[in-house]
Amino acid sequence: MNHDSDRAPLGVDNPASAQFEERVWSWVRSLEEQEERVRHARMLVGLRLAAVRYFGIDYFREEIAANQAGPREITDDAEWRDPIWSCPGFDSADYGIELEMLGGRVFSVTWDPPGMREGIGMREVPLRGTGVRVDADVAVWDVSQRSEWRRFIGAEVTDVGLHYLPWEDGHLSGFWCPRISLLFGIAHVELLLGEGGPEGQLRPSADNVAVLFDPVELPAWEQSAP
């Protein structure tokens, strides 16, 4: 399920990519590989959430910090008044999400480079150096207290679900993960391979992570195989 993207291609021409063409966090060839991904993600269970950061395109760098290089933490109240990642009913992170837990452990969620295979995955690594270059000119938003995530700060992760679907594309077969569920007791957060459209609507994407808080239902396209 490949989708058109307005981003630069991965590689040296994309300031946020770090030659991660070989990064594969979502797609797997076998059920055994799928089980390893699930076990890894479930290391979150029992930990308590301390902070959440979104990594995105730095649309206003030239206006606000033209002389700054590398990741830029967003602190100006003017930028927070209408953050680019905030959509009606959900959030939309360009490059991925960092989940910092009490005690300092950091897990990241990002998308596989679009192409022959795609999806989102989770690993216990910082996003810098894995999902974006360490020196990438990206915007870093600490949304811990300025989004719906504030409801979950300090809460214990009670379960993690990676929702795999069969992948069949010519000679390539396996499984891909378009959705990850984080459970905090009876509350839950859904992370989707999706993004905000021109009118703020939730739509499919190959290179974006959408965040839904306690959704009553999920979009129909999320249930479809490629």
Side-chain angles (χ1 to χ4, degrees):
M1 188 171 70
N2 296 321
H3 309 289
D4 293 335
S5 172
D6 57 1
R7 306 193 200 293
L10 288 173
V12 295
D13 294 331
N14 186 336
S17 70
Q19 295 144 14
F20 294 132
E21 290 86 347
E22 297 182 0
R23 183 192 72 230
V24 181
W25 289 9
S26 170
W27 191 88
V28 296
R29 296 177 179 83
S30 66
L31 291 174
E32 289 75 17
E33 288 186 42
Q34 183 183 138
E35 290 171 0
E36 185 279 329
R37 304 292 171 83
V38 172
R39 286 196 304 271
H40 188 96
R42 283 183 53 79
M43 291 193 296
L44 267 175
V45 175
L47 302 181
R48 293 185 179 275
L49 188 63
V52 181
R53 291 176 286 272
Y54 292 166
F55 283 65
I57 298 171
D58 195 351
Y59 291 100
F60 302 107
R61 180 174 293 252
E62 290 301 315
E63 300 174 28
I64 297 174
N67 296 323
Q68 180 178 341
R72 181 173 71 93
E73 296 184 9
I74 306 304
T75 58
D76 194 312
D77 286 340
E79 289 189 85
W80 279 102
R81 290 192 190 103
D82 187 21
I84 195 69
W85 47 262
S86 181
C87 302
F90 66 98
D91 294 346
S92 182
D94 296 310
Y95 296 119
I97 301 168
E98 273 189 355
L99 304 170
E100 182 177 342
M101 315 309 291
L102 291 175
R105 296 175 69 176
V106 176
F107 292 77
S108 294
V109 176
T110 190
W111 35 267
D112 287 350
M116 291 295 293
R117 51 201 176 192
E118 58 195 46
I120 58 173
M122 174 185 291
R123 304 302 287 180
E124 188 180 359
V125 290
L127 200 62
R128 289 181 64 187
T130 56
V132 298
R133 288 200 319 252
V134 173
D135 61 347
D137 289 344
V138 296
V140 181
W141 303 76
D142 186 333
V143 297
S144 308
Q145 299 298 333
R146 300 211 196 192
S147 72
E148 286 296 311
W149 281 107
R150 62 182 177 274
R151 297 165 43 203
F152 302 98
I153 298 302
E156 179 182 338
V157 178
T158 55
D159 202 0
V160 178
L162 274 60
H163 303 275
Y164 274 91
L165 295 172
W167 177 285
E168 297 290 342
D169 186 6
H171 299 293
L172 187 67
S173 63
F175 303 88
W176 71 306
C177 178
R179 176 165 63 96
I180 297 174
S181 300
L182 300 177
L183 277 68
F184 300 84
I186 62 173
H188 64 116
V189 179
E190 301 292 336
L191 309 177
L192 308 180
L193 188 64
E195 67 181 346
E199 305 301 322
Q201 75 277 24
L202 179 61
R203 68 179 186 180
S205 173
D207 52 7
N208 205 280
V209 181
V211 184
L212 283 68
F213 300 93
D214 288 323
V216 175
E217 60 182 351
L218 295 168
W221 49 260
E222 189 278 329
Q223 304 291 343
S224 302

